[in-house]
Amino acid sequence: RNTEMTIRYAGISASIFVIVITMLGIIFANSFVIPIKKLTIAGNSIAEGNLDTEIPQIKTKDEVEDISITIQLLVGALKYLKKSGKKK
């Protein structure tokens, strides 16, 4: 009987562990996916010529943040070129 209880508790503990790990995995994955989706939406809008598109301020301290900063610089350069091209 004691062995049955131990096995039952081990099964319950393992199930809880799997659920917690799955939830943490989803949260961790979303920390990457959501900023990338936001940048993709902004990038598509910019590609359509909407240079006034708001670029998400990503603060992830990784490559995703670097891409966000690069897109901001690119849009600034495109606005400058567009503005200086109209002066001619």
Side-chain angles (χ1 to χ4, degrees), residues 13-41:
S13 296
S15 297
I16 291 171
F17 178 76
V18 168
I19 291 169
V20 169
I21 292 299
T22 301
M23 291 171 61
L24 290 174
I26 290 169
I27 291 168
F28 184 71
N30 280 337
S31 71
F32 287 106
V33 172
I34 292 171
I36 291 172
K37 281 185 179 181
K38 289 179 179 180
L39 288 174
T40 300
I41 290 168

